Amino acid sequence: MENYTKGKNFEPSLESVGHPFSTIIGEDSLVTWMKVKAGSKIHNLMSFALNDLKTKNYIIWSGFGHAVGKVVSCAEMMKRRKKQLCQITRISYIDFEEYWDPKDEGLDQLKVVRKVPIVHILLSKLPLDPQELGYQAHDSNLFDVPKTAKKKPRARKPKIEEKEAVSEE
């Protein structure tokens, strides 16, 4: 690759890819599509989505590449705060094209196609079809701490200063 310099990149946007849930939710206007990027702040995403969920039935979280982990984190945090959400997850790949321009004459331009993972997570206040691939039902007891688990009190250790004061006398 020392004979090439990086040229243009073609990275499709989430809008051009679309989301795969149009057959599930139909043309419902009560949908928020959260398009997450690697530099997005989770706090900003969550505050907007939680506020929007008050008036909407569906939230779709989407992201690709380095944003995939952030998409999963946001969806899990939302499910933890709003326990009655059903989930359907879709995972696929999109193609990113990289072009490399030759430094020397006689060489051809190279085109490298990278497959980048993309994830879409649909969270719904309304019941969804449990036969759908990637379906997860809501579980109201999933995040509850068992009431039988109690912490034992720890024995108090004497402070170092108290030990030195006792030994000096």
Side-chain angles (χ1 to χ4, degrees), residues 128-147:
L128 297 171
D129 181 12
Q131 300 303 317
E132 283 286 337
L133 289 176
Y135 175 79
Q136 290 182 18
H138 61 81
D139 186 3
S140 59
N141 298 327
L142 183 62
F143 298 109
D144 291 344
V145 177
K147 294 181 181 177

Side-chain angles (χ1 to χ4, degrees), residues 23-78:
T23 58
I24 297 170
I25 59 177
E27 295 300 320
D28 193 345
S29 61
L30 298 176
V31 177
T32 299
W33 189 10
M34 301 295 294
K35 302 168 191 105
V36 179
K37 296 183 179 179
S40 300
K41 303 286 184 217
I42 290 180
H43 174 74
N44 295 340
L45 294 168
M46 289 300 297
S47 60
F48 180 83
L50 285 168
N51 195 25
D52 226 27
L53 192 62
K54 294 174 186 172
T55 59
K56 306 282 177 99
N57 292 329
Y58 303 101
I59 299 277
I60 298 173
W61 293 94
S62 297
F64 57 81
H66 295 291
V68 167
K70 200 168 281 194
V71 167
V72 172
S73 296
C74 288
E76 291 299 324
M77 288 170 61
M78 182 163 271

